[in-house]
Amino acid sequence: MFFGIGESVYDIVFKDNQPIRGVAGGSVFNTMISLGRLGYNPAFMSEIGTDKIGEMIISFMEENGVKSDNVYRFFEGKTPVSMAFLNERNEASYDFYMQYPEGRLDIVWPRIDNNDILIFGSYYSINPDLRQTIAELLEYASDRKAIIYYDPNFRKNHSSMALKLMPSIIENLEFADIVRGSDEDFLNLYNETDTDRIYNNHIKFYTPIFICTKGEGGVDLRTPLVKKHYEAKRIDAVSSIGAGDSFNAGLLHSLAKNKIEKESLNDITEEVWDEIINTAIEFASEVCQSMENYISVKFADAIIKK
């Protein structure tokens, strides 16, 4: 069973200073939609307003097989909206508009069991307003022997806060079984771009499995048994929004497909990692060729039939 916790937003996408599309989004949200389209029926924990945008997002979740039982619906405030601006290379920068109520994320945790998978990350996971609640969930999932997957997704607009937020980031790393982030995330966090330096100086002590994605530069993998680089697929990208989130979905799908258990994570062989990472790259590449934040229904159906 897959579980995720994170923000729910409505993304308005701009190209050449003109809005071209509106889609439901959020980093973990996007991963959950891809997993829902694959038939996993994942459970998503989040907070959404009772406004029109909130209703649209809830309906979209349910239409795509994502459970909304653990979504907190608030009356005061508004569902967040983000503005995603695509540059000439179709890479996105963001502005966010948020109006949350004073009370946040007032939900009951779903039942999480041994070898279930929980994905979390982004600023949402280290936001001081939510930190105690997030930490309680991580401790609960860890006690229940779930596989915990952390995507820092640490954006440039938070880089000035990195030092202040570092205790929460370190705690997230301590809970995580797998860390996957982009080179941009770690540049913003540690002012480092070299994968080995990031792994050895900042990650390895807490989490032995580390995946660093570098866009067109491919993917670096570091585990107790494997040190390897994977080339990215050469594609004509339409949008990079959701690429990392879809990479996460492909990786999590491969863990489930290969029936990987928490106790055997550090023992995964190079051959199995090849399949896992290449599947994740395939997912990310598919999303980059569309304006959606998640894998298409057609692509999901093809994966299911394999």
Side-chain angles (χ1 to χ4, degrees), residues 3 11 37 42 46 68 76 89-90 97 123 127 139 151 165 170 181 191 198 216 252 270 280 301:
F3 299 88
D11 289 331
R37 289 180 172 181
S46 189
S68 60
E76 296 181 5
R89 299 178 62 187
N90 290 316
Y97 299 86
Y123 179 71
N127 185 333
E139 186 171 1
D151 176 2
L165 295 168
I170 290 173
N191 199 30
I198 296 167
E216 294 178 353
L252 296 178
E270 180 177 345
D301 289 343

Side-chain angles (χ1 to χ4, degrees), residues 4-233:
I5 185 165
E7 70 273 17
S8 298
V9 303
Y10 193 77
D11 289 331
I12 301 175
V13 184
F14 287 77
K15 181 72 173 178
D16 298 326
N17 295 322
Q18 293 295 321
I20 59 173
R21 187 173 177 84
V23 292
S27 179
V28 177
F29 178 96
N30 295 338
T31 302
M32 293 289 102
I33 295 296
S34 290
L35 292 173
R37 289 180 172 181
L38 289 167
Y40 286 109
N41 202 211
F44 185 49
M45 293 164 273
S46 189
E47 48 192 346
I48 296 175
T50 53
D51 50 7
K52 182 64 175 178
I53 293 292
E55 293 298 333
M56 289 167 57
I57 293 175
I58 288 290
S59 295
F60 186 76
M61 288 172 58
E62 294 171 348
E63 289 165 6
N64 286 280
V66 178
K67 295 180 181 178
S68 60
D69 301 0
N70 301 102
V71 173
Y72 175 55
R73 303 299 305 277
F74 55 82
F75 292 91
E76 296 181 5
K78 299 291 183 182
T79 303
V81 173
S82 76
M83 307 294 184
F85 300 92
L86 299 178
N87 63 18
E88 64 278 359
R89 299 178 62 187
N90 290 316
E91 298 167 334
S93 59
Y94 300 87
D95 284 335
F96 294 92
Y97 299 86
M98 300 181 180
Q99 188 183 343
Y100 284 113
E102 184 175 343
R104 302 282 301 273
L105 204 60
D106 184 16
I107 61 173
V108 176
W109 303 132
R111 179 184 174 89
I112 298 177
D113 290 316
N114 185 32
N115 293 315
D116 284 342
I117 299 178
L118 170 68
I119 178 172
F120 77 109
S122 300
Y123 179 71
Y124 197 85
S125 71
I126 52 177
N127 185 333
D129 293 338
L130 298 168
R131 182 60 200 169
Q132 182 177 346
T133 303
I134 297 293
E136 289 172 358
L137 173 64
L138 295 175
E139 186 171 1
Y140 166 62
S142 180
D143 289 344
R144 300 290 293 178
K145 308 299 182 184
I147 296 171
I148 300 177
Y149 185 101
Y150 178 39
D151 176 2
N153 199 28
F154 195 80
R155 301 195 187 280
K156 186 176 182 179
N157 60 313
H158 292 128
S159 59
S160 63
M161 304 165 61
L163 187 62
K164 182 179 179 180
L165 295 168
M166 196 55 64
S168 295
I169 293 165
I170 290 173
E171 189 174 33
N172 286 348
L173 293 171
E174 289 175 326
F175 277 114
D177 297 295
I178 300 173
V179 173
R180 196 294 302 178
S182 72
D183 53 348
E184 183 179 349
D185 294 336
F186 301 112
L187 177 63
N188 295 332
L189 274 171
Y190 306 120
N191 199 30
E192 294 271 13
T193 57
D194 180 78
T195 300
D196 286 321
R197 288 181 61 85
I198 296 167
Y199 180 56
N200 293 323
N201 295 341
H202 304 288
I203 307 293
K204 185 178 180 180
F205 179 77
Y206 307 106
T207 312
I209 300 176
F210 175 55
I211 301 148
C212 184
T213 52
K214 300 184 173 185
E216 294 178 353
V219 178
D220 288 337
L221 171 68
R222 301 291 184 267
T223 83
L225 298 180
V226 183
K227 176 181 179 180
K228 193 164 184 177
H229 176 77
Y230 298 84
E231 294 295 332
K233 291 181 69 174

